[in-house]
Amino acid sequence: MRYVDVQISRETKPISEKGFGLPLLLATSKELEYKEYTGIEDVAADFDESTKEYKLLSRMFGQTLRPAEIAVHGFVYASDATTLTSKLNDLIKTHNDFYYVVCTEQGDEEITALAEWTNTQDKLYGVTTSNIELAETLKGKYDNTFILVHDQPETYVAEGLIGACAPKKIGAYTWTFKNVQGVPAVKYDNTMINRIHEANASTYINEAGLLINSKGVATSGEYIDVIQATHYLKARIAESVFRLLALRDKVPGTDTGIGLVVAEVEGVLASTVENTTTGEGIIARDDAGNPMYTITFPRRKDIPKNTLAQRILPDIQWTATIAGAFEKVQIRGVLTV
């Protein structure tokens, strides 16, 4: 955002909100101006049931909890993967309210191009492929992309996973264990599944009779819900502080004005603290139930005069402990007689 610069770094490894629920399908079989659909019955007016677009959107809309809307922007794709990102660059000039990106193209070059583009945005790209080697090539590279390896890639299980998760509140769920309706489990053995996980990808398995997404990580190895939390906090803090700057006659260049800005930052952080009843929330609480975040900020007397003359409030910094989630449990027991 032009007037508010928010940067968040993550230290989590072993050591307008509509945008966060709105997926965009980049369609590649026909020209179509940006359009938002509310159900698969509307899609049939623009895409025949035999098209990849219809099948992909059917998977996304076919979940029990599904997006209220899915945006689609289409063009006729030939073979140059750079045209995919060019179309997206043009689109975000006028329509940038979407958060999730999906595409009918599942080739290696296309997936790589979209992963590179999404990594320059505060958006999330999900894709299904049958190529484990691609996942291994992209391992460690992108925070904003997740890959699901399936022996039937046109079941669009990653895209269906986005359909199931997009309506949920960020901070209230993880991507592991989620069911995608209408998708069969893979026919991979444990060796292959372990290889997929080692590549920072996931697959779709039958575990104890349940069909589930096996792992909720981005290609970088970071958990997807942590990536989302970063995007969410950055956006909400920027919006909140900008609203303060824009709607007040002025925010004074004094300790009072500094306090007003800090209050906006704290308000966002406080709104994402773990709910002790439901477990929802991005930021954890300590043993005493206190929110685990701190904010530091300068006093006016500590700000250089040249910085004050430029009307810049510097060095507001915060640290928060993410609530995260448990996805594996270790239990040891001893039976005696």
Side-chain angles (χ1 to χ4, degrees):
M1 184 174 284
R2 184 186 303 273
Y3 298 100
V4 183
D5 182 9
V6 178
Q7 298 183 23
I8 303 174
S9 61
R10 293 192 312 278
E11 296 181 358
T12 59
K13 289 189 180 179
I15 42 169
S16 109
E17 295 193 15
K18 176 186 177 185
F20 284 95
L22 180 65
L24 170 81
L25 165 62
L26 185 61
T28 56
S29 69
K30 65 180 293 185
E31 294 286 340
L32 183 74
E33 290 297 315
Y34 178 94
K35 184 175 182 179
E36 294 178 3
Y37 298 91
T38 58
I40 193 62
E41 59 280 357
D42 299 327
V43 174
D46 293 313
F47 295 99
D48 185 84
E49 292 184 12
S50 63
T51 63
K52 292 181 179 180
E53 285 84 358
Y54 186 92
K55 293 174 182 177
L56 188 154
L57 291 169
S58 180
R59 179 70 65 222
M60 297 183 74
F61 276 127
Q63 305 309 305
T64 300
L65 189 63
R66 67 181 199 179
E69 296 174 317
I70 299 176
V72 179
H73 183 63
F75 76 109
V76 178
Y77 177 68
S79 59
D80 182 358
T82 62
T83 59
L84 297 170
T85 56
S86 295
K87 289 294 180 182
L88 288 170
N89 284 329
D90 289 341
L91 178 64
I92 61 175
K93 295 174 184 177
T94 54
H95 296 90
N96 198 24
D97 199 29
F98 60 92
Y99 178 60
Y100 300 97
V101 178
V102 297
C103 183
T104 46
E105 298 302 319
Q106 297 175 310
D108 291 3
E109 291 184 6
E110 289 79 6
I111 291 172
T112 301
L114 290 170
E116 290 177 351
W117 182 85
T118 310
N119 218 48
T120 68
Q121 313 290 319
D122 289 333
K123 301 183 187 296
L124 189 65
Y125 167 52
V127 63
T128 309
T129 179
S130 59
N131 187 2
I132 176 61
E133 287 81 9
L134 174 65
E136 290 170 332
T137 298
L138 300 186
K139 177 183 177 180
K141 290 188 176 181
Y142 304 115
D143 269 339
N144 298 354
T145 293
F146 73 90
I147 293 176
L148 198 145
V149 181
H150 199 289
D151 49 18
Q152 300 178 55
E154 289 197 9
T155 56
Y156 299 112
V157 61
E159 294 80 359
L161 187 61
I162 288 175
C165 290
K168 298 177 183 288
K169 182 179 179 182
I170 290 178
Y173 66 98
T174 72
W175 290 69
T176 310
F177 309 124
K178 295 299 178 286
N179 171 261
V180 180
Q181 294 194 12
V183 177
V186 293
K187 298 180 176 65
Y188 300 147
D189 60 19
N190 285 335
T191 299
M192 182 62 167
I193 293 171
N194 291 338
R195 182 182 171 189
I196 291 168
H197 290 174
E198 179 62 27
N200 292 342
S202 66
T203 189
Y204 196 66
I205 62 175
N206 186 324
E207 187 76 9
L210 296 178
L211 297 177
I212 59 170
N213 177 45
S214 65
K215 196 170 185 180
V217 295
T219 66
S220 65
E222 184 60 274
Y223 285 95
I224 300 170
D225 56 294
V226 175
I227 303 297
Q228 290 181 294
T230 305
H231 294 164
Y232 182 87
L233 287 168
K234 179 179 178 180
R236 293 290 89 90
I237 290 173
E239 292 166 359
S240 185
V241 174
F242 176 71
R243 191 178 300 112
L244 172 73
L245 297 173
L247 298 184
R248 289 182 66 94
D249 285 339
K250 78 169 186 176
V251 175
T254 63
D255 287 343
T256 298
I258 295 170
L260 291 172
V261 174
V262 172
E264 294 296 329
V265 175
E266 182 162 19
V268 173
L269 296 178
S271 72
T272 68
V273 173
E274 174 193 15
N275 183 309
T276 55
T277 300
T278 65
E280 295 181 0
I282 294 171
I283 297 174
R285 294 179 183 272
D286 64 18
D287 292 343
N290 300 310
M292 296 178 69
Y293 66 80
T294 58
I295 306 174
T296 60
F297 53 90
R299 304 296 297 269
R300 176 189 165 96
K301 64 183 178 63
D302 299 321
I303 300 174
K305 293 187 182 300
N306 185 54
T307 303
L308 286 171
Q310 296 177 67
R311 300 195 169 188
I312 295 172
L313 171 54
D315 299 330
I316 295 179
Q317 300 181 26
W318 59 265
T319 302
T321 299
I322 195 163
F326 293 121
E327 295 188 357
K328 188 173 183 179
V329 178
Q330 297 178 340
I331 302 172
R332 304 292 183 267
V334 176
L335 288 176
T336 64
V337 293

